[in-house]
């Protein structure tokens, strides 16, 4: 378990290197008292483990930039990949000039996974108004564009980036998974979404996985952000799995299934000594924010009926 006595811990993303499990995570002081304030007093922490259970803390990876900058307010959820020469941390940034309502994606680079240097002075990937809600200061007062998950499904193919976004319009259920591609990790082209809008207001921290021979997308959606027309009464937020056609989608949000857990959120699928498991954080339980990462939660689609793994 990763629990810090002085800080809350929430969204995280794993990366394996040199036989060890690295975990990057959002953290903020418990002294804030109000858990909602953690979002605006955040840094990206870093820990390493040999078994996903016992963690050694390392120096923080990243924190908001000095003003003025496009990411001088918050540095939020992202992912880490190994490029041809260096490690790259893609992350969500917001600025004090626009507040947290305008989200954009940038990158930091490292030779050792410890010391990180920002790439450039401007965002790397921004929302494309052809497909996504984009800030214009008027009819679109916000821009959801966060949680970049970068991966390659073919070592000779392009890099893919999945992004939490919303399509333009009014009403519930506009959350989609946005898509961008790159050949060099520097220049990115934004494409149409890989899910259809409707069931979710947000599809957060997306991760494509292969489980029991099938392709799925692990996502999370909070309480109150489920479109009742699709989920019915009594549905709750949490971690969902969406079936897909392949490692780059598309994925069917209308066939999403919720992982049964009291509060697990922002979970990633990991290999826990040969067993598929989810590693996420404990969110709200009995009206209180927990803010810690428990030991991995085993997950198997094949056994879901017997073990009631899904709702």
């Amino acid at each position: 378990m990763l629990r810090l006595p002085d800080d809350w811990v929430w969204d995280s993303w794993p990366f394996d290197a040199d036989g060890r499990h690295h975990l990057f995570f959002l953290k903020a002081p418990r002294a804030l008292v109000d858990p909602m304030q953690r979002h605006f007093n955040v840094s990206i922490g870093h820990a390493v483990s040999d078994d996903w259970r016992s963690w050694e803390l390392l120096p923080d990876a990243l924190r908001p930039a000095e003003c003025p900058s496009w990411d001088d307010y918050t540095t939020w959820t992202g992912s880490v990949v190994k490029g041809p020469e260096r490690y790259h941390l893609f992350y969500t940034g917001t600025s004090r000039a626009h507040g947290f309502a305008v989200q954009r994606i940038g990158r930091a680079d490292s030779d050792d996974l410890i010391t990180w240097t920002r790439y450039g002075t401007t965002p790397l990937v921004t929302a494309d108004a052809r497909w996504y809600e984009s800030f214009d200061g008027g009819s679109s007062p916000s821009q959801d564009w966060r949680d970049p998950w970068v991966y390659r499904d073919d070592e000779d193919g392009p890099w893919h980036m999945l992004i939490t976004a919303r399509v333009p319009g009014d009403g519930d259920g506009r959350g989609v998974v946005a898509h961008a591609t790159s050949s060099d990790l520097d220049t990115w082209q934004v494409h149409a979404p890989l899910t259809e809008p409707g069931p979710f207001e947000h599809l957060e921290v997306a991760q494509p996985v292969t489980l029991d021979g099938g392709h799925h997308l692990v996502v999370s959606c909070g309480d109150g952000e489920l479109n009742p027309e699709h989920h019915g009464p009594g549905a709750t937020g949490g971690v969902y799995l969406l079936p897909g056609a392949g490692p780059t989608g598309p994925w069917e949000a209308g066939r999403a299934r919720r992982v049964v857990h009291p509060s697990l959120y922002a979970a990633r699928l990991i290999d826990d000594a040969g067993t598929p498991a989810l590693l996420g954080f404990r969110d709200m339980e009995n009206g209180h924010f927990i803010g810690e990462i428990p030991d991995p939660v085993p997950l198997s689609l094949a056994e879901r009926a017997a073990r009631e793994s899904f709702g």
Side-chain angles (χ1 to χ4, degrees):
M1 177 177 71
L2 179 59
R3 185 187 191 279
L4 304 183
D6 298 324
D7 294 289
W8 288 304
V9 175
W10 63 109
D11 290 16
S12 65
W13 52 100
F15 181 78
D16 284 358
D18 300 323
R20 306 201 76 188
H21 307 306
H22 291 258
L23 191 69
F24 298 86
F25 52 89
L26 303 188
K27 54 178 285 197
R30 294 178 183 268
L32 293 169
V33 181
D34 179 3
M36 289 303 297
Q37 292 301 311
R38 74 186 191 275
H39 298 295
F40 319 115
N41 297 272
V42 63
S43 60
I44 297 178
H46 184 192
V48 67
S49 173
D50 294 319
D51 62 1
W52 299 113
R53 289 161 174 79
S54 298
W55 295 95
E56 173 192 347
L57 286 179
L58 298 175
D60 285 357
L62 203 67
R63 60 181 61 249
E66 296 294 326
C67 296
S69 174
W70 71 273
D71 60 347
D72 61 20
Y73 191 22
T74 65
T75 47
W76 285 338
T77 308
S79 59
V80 171
V81 299
K82 178 68 166 68
E85 298 179 358
R86 309 184 73 189
Y87 299 102
H88 305 291
L89 189 164
F90 293 86
Y91 66 96
T92 308
T94 67
S95 70
R96 294 187 179 276
H98 293 110
F100 69 92
V102 179
Q103 302 158 10
R104 292 168 287 191
I105 293 167
R107 196 183 87 197
D109 302 328
S110 175
D111 294 318
D112 58 6
L113 291 171
I114 304 297
T115 302
W116 295 89
T117 303
R118 283 172 166 82
Y119 175 82
T121 58
T122 59
L124 195 63
V125 190
T126 58
D128 189 322
R130 287 179 295 173
W131 298 294
Y132 306 106
E133 184 175 60
S134 303
F135 176 78
D136 62 12
S139 59
S140 295
S142 66
Q143 175 179 296
D144 286 0
W145 195 253
R146 62 182 182 272
D147 308 340
W149 182 265
V150 177
Y151 68 105
R152 215 173 193 174
D153 69 303
D154 183 335
E155 63 180 14
D156 296 321
W159 293 90
H160 297 270
M161 180 184 292
L162 305 183
I163 305 160
T164 295
R166 294 200 302 175
V167 297
D170 299 313
D172 298 329
R174 291 189 287 123
V176 294
V177 174
H179 182 216
T181 57
S182 174
S183 61
D184 58 7
L185 295 171
D186 297 335
T187 303
W188 290 84
Q189 180 180 359
V190 177
H191 306 281
L194 294 173
T195 62
E196 293 293 332
F200 298 93
E201 188 64 19
H202 297 104
L203 289 167
E204 299 189 296
V205 292
Q207 177 199 17
V209 302
T210 301
L211 190 61
D212 291 358
H215 297 285
H216 304 270
L217 189 70
V218 181
V219 296
S220 292
C221 185
D223 285 336
E225 297 182 340
L226 305 172
N227 187 342
E229 294 183 5
H230 289 260
H231 293 273
T236 58
V239 180
Y240 283 80
L241 266 70
L242 282 56
T248 57
W251 294 281
E252 299 180 61
R255 296 177 56 202
R257 290 170 292 176
R258 181 182 179 274
V259 176
V260 174
H261 185 279
S263 70
L264 194 69
Y265 202 83
R268 311 291 192 176
L269 191 74
I270 61 167
D271 181 347
D272 183 23
T275 299
L278 291 172
L279 191 71
F281 77 94
R282 292 172 63 193
D283 196 358
M284 299 295 294
E285 295 182 13
N286 299 318
H288 298 283
F289 180 70
I290 305 300
E292 63 186 39
I293 296 177
D295 291 346
V297 177
L299 175 65
S300 173
L301 283 178
E303 300 174 2
R304 65 182 182 272
R307 297 174 55 231
E308 297 184 344
S309 297
F310 297 89

